[in-house]
C-alpha cells in the first residue's frame, strides 16, 4: 500500500497535537477570563490526579509518572496559588494529604463547562456528526484507558 504523498504519516500526530493544543489554549484563555489566569495545562492533570479524596505526594507522583520531588514542587506552586492544600490524613497521622481547595474545585468545574463549549464550537464548524465520528474513530484506535494522568511524565521522558 503506497503512502499518499499529500498525507505523510508524520502529519497525523502533528495534526492531533495541534487539535489538542488548540483546545487546551482556548480552554486556558477562557479560564483566565473567568478568574483563573494562573492555571496551566499541567495543573489540570495534577488536579485530576489529586481527585476528590486527596492523595499523598508520593501517590501523586506515581499517578502522573513523575518523581515525588517534581510532584511536590508542583503541589507547592498550586498551594501558593490556592488550588491545593496540605492536611493531616485522618486515617494515618504519619501521612500528609494533598487536597483540592474550593478554588481548585471551581477550576475543574469551569474546565468541564468550557470543554463542552469548545466541543460545541467544533461541532458548529465541522458539524455534530463529524465531531461524533471523529470521537468514535479515535476511540477505535486509542487504548481503552482513555484518560491517562501520566502524560506529564510521558512528555518529560
Amino acid at each position: 500500500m503506497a503512502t499518499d504523498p499529500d498525507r505523510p504519516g508524520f502529519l497525523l500526530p502533528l495534526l492531533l497535537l495541534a487539535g489538542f493544543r488548540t483546545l487546551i489554549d482556548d480552554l486556558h484563555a477562557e479560564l483566565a477570563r473567568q478568574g483563573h489566569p494562573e492555571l496551566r495545562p499541567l495543573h489540570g492533570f495534577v488536579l485530576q490526579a489529586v481527585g476528590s479524596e486527596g492523595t499523598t505526594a508520593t501517590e501523586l507522583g506515581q499517578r502522573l509518572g513523575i518523581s515525588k520531588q517534581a510532584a511536590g514542587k508542583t503541589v507547592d506552586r498550586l498551594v501558593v496559588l490556592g488550588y491545593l492544600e496540605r492536611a493531616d490524613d485522618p486515617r494515618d497521622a504519619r501521612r500528609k494529604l494533598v487536597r483540592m481547595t474550593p478554588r481548585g474545585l471551581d477550576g475543574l468545574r469551569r474546565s468541564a463547562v468550557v470543554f463542552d463549549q469548545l466541543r460545541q464550537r467544533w461541532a458548529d464548524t465541522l458539524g455534530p456528526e463529524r465531531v461524533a465520528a471523529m470521537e468514535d474513530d479515535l476511540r477505535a484506535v486509542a487504548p481503552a484507558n482513555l484518560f491517562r494522568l501520566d502524560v506529564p511524565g510521558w512528555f518529560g521522558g
Side-chain angles (χ1 to χ4, degrees):
M1 182 161 101
T3 302
D4 181 344
D6 294 328
R7 295 179 183 269
F10 70 84
L11 192 56
L12 177 60
L14 292 177
L15 289 169
L16 289 168
L17 180 60
F20 173 78
R21 176 73 190 256
T22 298
L23 287 168
I24 298 303
D25 287 349
D26 290 351
L27 166 74
H28 285 278
E30 183 57 30
L31 287 175
R33 282 189 285 278
Q34 293 185 24
H36 293 278
E38 58 282 305
L39 278 180
R40 300 291 175 258
L42 171 65
H43 299 157
F45 286 100
V46 173
L47 294 175
Q48 290 287 339
V50 167
S52 60
E53 301 297 313
T55 189
T56 66
T58 299
E59 292 166 347
L60 181 62
Q62 290 169 346
R63 290 177 187 174
L64 294 171
I66 60 176
S67 70
K68 176 185 174 183
Q69 293 78 12
K73 186 175 179 181
T74 303
V75 167
D76 289 344
R77 179 72 181 138
L78 289 170
V79 166
V80 168
L81 294 172
Y83 290 93
L84 295 176
E85 64 184 2
R86 288 190 171 88
D88 293 329
D89 186 337
R91 296 166 293 185
D92 184 346
R94 297 168 295 173
R95 289 176 22 130
K96 285 283 189 194
L97 286 180
V98 176
R99 299 187 310 206
M100 269 193 282
T101 64
R103 183 162 176 75
L105 290 168
D106 181 65
L108 280 182
R109 277 193 293 271
R110 288 177 187 269
S111 293
V113 170
V114 173
F115 273 131
D116 287 343
Q117 294 167 347
L118 293 172
R119 186 191 183 283
Q120 185 59 51
R121 187 184 312 163
W122 279 37
D124 292 345
T125 301
L126 302 173
E129 302 83 13
R130 289 191 63 195
V131 171
M134 179 174 35
E135 291 168 337
D136 292 343
D137 291 344
L138 289 169
R139 278 188 194 94
V141 297
N145 56 343
L146 177 66
F147 184 66
R148 295 194 46 187
L149 295 169
D150 68 345
V151 170
W154 181 80
F155 267 125

